[in-house]
Every structure is written in C-alpha cells, then in structure tokens.
C-alpha cells in the first residue's frame, strides 16, 4: 500500500495512475490520521511552494515526520522534494519540513535572447553521483522530464545532478527519505523504474 | 543537456483521430488512445490531443478518450479544444491530462490562465496562439496578428503582445501555430517563432508547416523553438519521432535519444 498525500497542490491523477500501473495499491491521504498507518508515502506537488502550508495546518507535516522516524519510505516529487529542504525563496514565509538544511532557490533569470528559459521545461539528463536502490537500473545519461523554476543546489544528500544554468540537485536521498525534482510519472521507462524501485524500497 | 522536444499531435473529432499518423501495423488508425500510445512507443517526447468536437455529447466522448489515452501514457500529455472554464479544465485533468491548451477561451477571458494556473500550477497551462503575418506592415513578422476561428477572424491584437501577456498571466508554455505555414509542408515560420521565443521567457512550441527533417532543424536553430509539433509529417516519409530525432541528432541538435 502506498499513501499519496493530497494537499490540494495540483493534480494527483498522473502519479496515482503510474503507481497503479506498477501494481501498487494506492490510497489518498487528506488529513493527518490517514498517515498514521502509512507504510509508504508519496508527496507529489506541481504548484506553488506556499501550498505546503496546508501540510502544516492539517497536521500532516507532523504525521509525515512521525512516519519518517518510523522508517517509512518517503518520496517527494517536484515541490514535494523541495519541501524536504529548509524552505524556498518562492514562499519565504513558509518553512519547508527541514529534513535537509539547504534553501531552494530560483534559477537565475534567463538570458535576454531567450536562450535559457525559466522555467526549465523538458527532457534533461541525469548524472548519478551515488548508486542507491532508488536508482537501480538507471544510468547516467538517462533522460527525465522536468518542469520547474526553483531547485536545490547540489549538497551531500544529492544522489543525482542535472545540468541547467549550472548543476542542481535532481534527486536526493538520506536513509528512507527520497526526493526527485523531475516527474518520474512522466519520464517514460526511466521514471517507471524509479517508481518501481521506490515501491520495493525496504523500510529502515 | 536540456533537449528539444518533438511533440506528436492528434487532431480528434467525436472521439476519432481525423488526421495524423497511420502506423502500418495498427489495428485501428482512428483510435486516439491507441495512437497516443504508439507515438509514445515510437519516441515522441510528448503528446498533444486537440479536440475539434463542438457538441455536448462529443465532450463526454472526449473525456473518455482522454481517460483511455492517459491510461498507459507515461510522458507529458496535453489536451486542448473547447476548454472554456476552470471546471472544463478540471475534468480534463481528472481524466489524466497533464496540461491543458487554451486558445480562444484565453483571449475572451485572460484571467482563465491564472485561474487554472493557481489550481494546477503554471506548468499545466499552455496558451495556443494562431498567428498570421501582417503582409501589409513594414515588419510583417513583428506585426503578426492573433487569429481565431481557424485563422478566419482577427482577434484584434498582436502576437508578440499577446504572448507576453499570456506569459505574464502565468502561462507555462506558448503553442504558436503559423496560419501562413500551416498545411503547406514548406517549413515552420522560423522568423515568427524566433520573435515570440525571444519575447517571452517561457518555452515556445512551434507548429504549422513541418514537411521535412530540415524544417525541424531550422525551427530548433534559427527559430529558437523549444519544442516542435509534428502531426501530418509522419505521413510523408518520416516514419516516427524516433527516426526524426535520429536525423536531428546527426545535425547536432540535442534530442532525447535513445527513446
């Protein structure tokens, strides 16, 4: 069973569809008590970082912290990954969950001639820094689909980097807590591999 | 490296593809769900489904079509045509679309762009612009006008002006169709695409006029397009997005390969 957290930040359909396609039993949590017995948690997010305030208000932030402490595997996608950090300049008044200490910042404004645009949209390559079970079968040079204007710098929890206006953290992991800046549910075979690996990740 | 996207487009009417690709071994060439899947397997980076159905019954068919197409589609999926309200958009998202494409509805009610963006994120809103050069103007490219009703009616504003406004209102991407080039197979309007691409800081998808690999190479270089739409081109000598991209790669254009 995998619990997908719904905090009204965009569309859950694609993520749930991909997880079900991989054979997972999927349920949706909209409040804290629904996370108490979760055995695997996915936090999607395609909206504004400010929307994560709903995780705090609903008590789900505390519930997710509790689940992580119990060893429940956790995967944050896009804004869901960014939320793992201390905060984002997209919504400076709204703190992140703070599992990682860094700040999420915006790409610098693009070149005047439109050569490098913000947001970063499209298929870009992954560069693996560490081989973790989440990345089993994935190789450097494989492509994933990105769509975002904010990103985390490369730091010690970074397991995958991608190049766009410099290197940024495309995936991060420490123990049972993982985040991906790209959309595995929209990244073809590579993305499905990563989701399958997550579904097979052991609790720790 | 961020790659240039080749997007396969399906034109659908009452739940059937009205033009587009006919794969040799396909069971039912008119079924959008099957075609969407085939395109994904054949290396397309993204799928766009444009619905030209006008009837109410047709709209229900569309949602069912989107649902079936999205079922096993794990690349970005955009749906456009007849989306006039946030509710219309919500229904399409719930059926499995990742982005909606707005055209005349965004012109009539520009606030729809930010309204949908606030709910589903800016990345989920594509603003489609049908553009025509103003042949009489001193600079026909920079003076290009927005048209509606399949290029028959002047919407009363400039393409660059509208692209900028759409971006400011929070559009995630611009889908720019050149009415002059559309259907000619003589190449994309690279000058117009470049002018729009330089005027906004969001991705621009070029559409209209594709007839050869060279046309894609041109629009990705001199046209500054971030992505290009391919529909009927697969009828004319290029069998799939993969083949197209392999030939673009030879010309040093960054594309997603293998795919």
């Amino acid at each position: 069973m995998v619990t997908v957290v719904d905090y009204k930040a965009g569309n859950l359909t694609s993520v749930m569809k991909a997880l079900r396609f991989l054979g997972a039993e999927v349920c949706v949590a909209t409040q804290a008590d629904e996370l108490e017995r979760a055995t695997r948690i996915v936090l999607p997010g395609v909206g504004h970082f400010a929307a994560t305030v709903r995780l705090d208000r609903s008590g789900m932030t505390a519930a997710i912290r509790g689940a992580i402490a119990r060893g429940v595997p956790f995967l944050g996608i896009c804004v869901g990954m960014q939320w793992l950090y201390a905060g984002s300049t997209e919504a400076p008044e709204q703190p992140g969950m703070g599992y990682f200490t860094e700040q999420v910042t915006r790409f610098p404004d693009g070149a005047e001639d439109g050569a490098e645009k913000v947001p970063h949209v499209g298929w870009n390559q992954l560069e693996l820094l560490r081989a973790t079970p989440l990345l089993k079968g994935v190789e450097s040079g494989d492509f994933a689909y990105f769509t975002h204007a904010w990103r985390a710098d490369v730091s010690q929890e970074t397991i995958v980097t991608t190049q766009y206006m410099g290197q940024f953290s495309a995936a991060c992991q420490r123990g049972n807590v993982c985040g991906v800046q790209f959309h595995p549910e929209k990244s073809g075979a590579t993305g499905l591999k990563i989701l399958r690996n997550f579904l097979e990740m052991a609790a720790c | 490296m961020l790659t240039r996207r080749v997007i396969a487009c399906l034109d659908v009417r009452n739940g059937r593809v009205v033009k587009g690709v006919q794969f040799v071994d396909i069971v039912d060439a008119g079924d959008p769900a099957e075609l969407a899947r085939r395109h994904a397997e054949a290396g397309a980076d993204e799928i766009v489904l444009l619905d030209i159905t006008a009837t109410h019954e047709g709209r229900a068919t569309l949602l069912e079509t989107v649902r079936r197409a999205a079922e096993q589609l794990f690349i970005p999926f955009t749906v456009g045509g007849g989306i006039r309200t946030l509710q219309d958009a919500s229904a399409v998202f719930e059926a499995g679309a990742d982005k909606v494409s707005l055209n005349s509805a965004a012109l009539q009610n520009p606030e729809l762009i930010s309204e949908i963006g606030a709910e589903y994120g800016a990345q989920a809103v594509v603003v489609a612009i049908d553009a025509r050069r103003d042949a009489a103007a001193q600079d026909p490219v920079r003076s290009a006008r927005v048209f509606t009703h399949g290029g028959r009616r002047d919407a009363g504003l400039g393409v660059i002006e509208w692209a900028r406004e759409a971006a400011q209102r929070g559009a995630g991407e611009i889908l720019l169709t050149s009415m002059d080039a559309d259907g000619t197979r003589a190449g994309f309007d690279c000058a117009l695409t470049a002018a729009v691409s330089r005027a906004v800081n969001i991705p621009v998808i070029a559409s209209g006029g594709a007839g050869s690999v060279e046309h894609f190479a041109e629009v990705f270089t001199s046209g500054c397009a971030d992505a290009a739409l391919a529909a009927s081109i697969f009828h004319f000598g290029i069998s799939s997005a993969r083949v197209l991209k392999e030939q673009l790669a030879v010309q040093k254009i960054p594309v997603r390969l293998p795919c």
Side-chain angles (χ1 to χ4, degrees):
Chain A
M1 174 76 87
V2 51
T3 304
V4 177
V5 183
D6 184 4
Y7 57 109
K8 307 291 172 229
N11 185 7
L12 301 183
T13 313
S14 292
V15 172
M16 299 194 29
K17 203 178 61 188
L19 292 168
R20 287 197 177 115
F21 175 78
L22 294 169
E25 229 185 292
V26 184
C27 67
V28 175
T30 55
Q31 47 195 32
D33 59 353
E34 290 163 326
L35 287 165
E36 273 163 21
R37 289 195 184 146
T39 52
R40 208 170 288 278
I41 297 175
V42 172
L43 182 73
V46 287
H48 197 279
F49 193 85
T52 62
V53 71
R54 295 188 202 116
L55 294 169
D56 297 348
R57 287 190 187 144
S58 62
M60 288 201 284
T61 299
I64 291 171
R65 276 211 183 90
I68 285 172
R70 290 199 303 278
V72 169
F74 175 94
L75 177 66
I77 298 173
C78 198
V79 174
M81 164 180 171
Q82 296 174 1
W83 179 74
L84 291 170
Y85 289 82
S88 167
T89 56
E90 187 176 16
E93 69 292 346
Q94 170 59 28
M97 196 260 264
Y99 196 75
F100 303 128
T101 53
E102 293 82 5
Q103 277 281 338
V104 173
T105 55
R106 196 178 154 88
F107 284 111
D109 275 327
E112 271 302 301
D113 62 356
E116 281 183 314
K117 296 182 173 181
V118 181
H120 170 224
V121 180
W123 295 83
N124 203 336
Q125 283 173 298
L126 307 178
E127 188 65 44
L128 275 61
L129 297 189
R130 273 197 281 145
T132 80
L134 184 71
L135 302 172
K136 196 176 75 186
V138 180
E139 289 172 26
S140 287
D142 285 354
F143 288 92
Y145 184 79
F146 292 83
T147 175
H148 62 120
W150 275 262
R151 85 286 189 239
D153 281 336
V154 177
S155 56
Q156 71 189 84
E157 56 275 0
T158 302
I159 56 171
V160 178
T161 64
T162 289
Q163 189 78 32
Y164 192 71
M165 299 188 181
Q167 274 195 329
F168 68 89
S169 189
C172 58
Q173 183 177 359
R174 194 170 78 213
N176 53 327
V177 177
C178 320
V180 287
Q181 181 58 65
F182 51 88
H183 287 271
E185 74 281 11
K186 290 285 124 191
S187 295
T190 300
L192 291 177
K193 257 183 228 170
I194 291 170
L195 288 177
R196 186 179 290 117
N197 291 339
F198 174 72
L199 291 172
E200 288 169 0
M201 221 171 100
C204 62
Chain B
M1 184 186 232
L2 180 64
T3 55
R4 307 285 170 163
R5 288 171 280 156
V6 171
I7 303 179
C9 180
L10 302 172
D11 289 309
V12 170
R13 181 179 209 154
N14 293 318
R16 311 287 293 169
V17 174
V18 290
K19 59 174 187 181
V21 194
Q22 287 176 3
F23 289 93
V24 201
D25 58 342
I26 204 159
V27 185
D28 177 1
D31 178 28
E34 171 146 14
L35 276 171
R37 253 194 316 276
R38 288 302 180 104
H39 275 302
E41 281 165 18
D45 295 317
E46 207 162 322
I47 306 289
V48 171
L49 189 154
L50 293 179
D51 179 65
I52 50 173
T53 304
T55 62
H56 183 67
E57 295 73 24
R59 303 301 300 169
T61 310
L62 169 72
L63 291 180
E64 188 46 36
T65 301
V66 171
R67 197 166 289 119
R68 285 195 307 114
E71 199 63 44
Q72 292 188 25
L73 205 54
F74 301 108
I75 59 172
F77 181 36
T78 304
V79 174
I83 295 162
R84 317 209 71 82
T85 63
L86 177 60
Q87 289 71 24
D88 291 344
S90 298
V92 169
F93 286 128
E94 274 157 33
D98 302 297
K99 314 178 195 181
V100 293
S101 171
L102 307 174
N103 194 330
S104 46
L107 284 164
Q108 279 156 21
N109 173 22
E111 279 171 17
L112 186 61
I113 300 168
S114 44
E115 214 183 318
I116 299 173
E119 196 84 8
Y120 293 96
Q123 86 297 329
V125 187
V126 178
V127 171
I129 303 178
D130 289 341
R132 209 180 260 288
R133 289 185 180 205
D134 185 353
Q138 214 168 28
D139 184 343
V141 171
R142 294 205 67 84
S143 316
R145 314 280 299 162
V146 180
F147 277 73
T148 60
H149 298 81
R152 291 189 302 276
R153 199 176 296 174
D154 191 325
L157 79 172
V159 169
I160 289 174
E161 173 195 359
W162 174 229
R164 281 207 175 112
E165 185 183 342
Q168 262 161 20
R169 287 182 179 272
E173 292 175 77
I174 300 285
L175 168 55
L176 178 71
T177 300
S178 161
M179 304 307 298
D180 302 305
D182 203 28
T184 63
R185 286 194 278 137
F188 295 94
D189 189 337
C190 290
L192 180 62
T193 307
V196 174
S197 187
R198 290 195 178 108
V200 295
N201 203 19
I202 56 174
V204 172
I205 305 160
S207 159
S212 70
V213 173
E214 203 43 53
H215 295 154
F216 283 88
E218 281 164 10
V219 84
F220 285 142
T221 50
S222 73
C224 305
D226 299 281
L229 207 71
S232 54
I233 183 162
F234 298 118
H235 281 308
F236 306 107
I238 298 166
S239 57
S240 69
R242 181 172 295 114
V243 170
L244 171 59
K245 291 199 286 180
E246 280 164 358
Q247 296 182 27
L248 289 171
V250 173
Q251 303 191 43
K252 305 273 180 260
I253 293 176
V255 285
R256 178 177 67 111
L257 278 176
C259 59

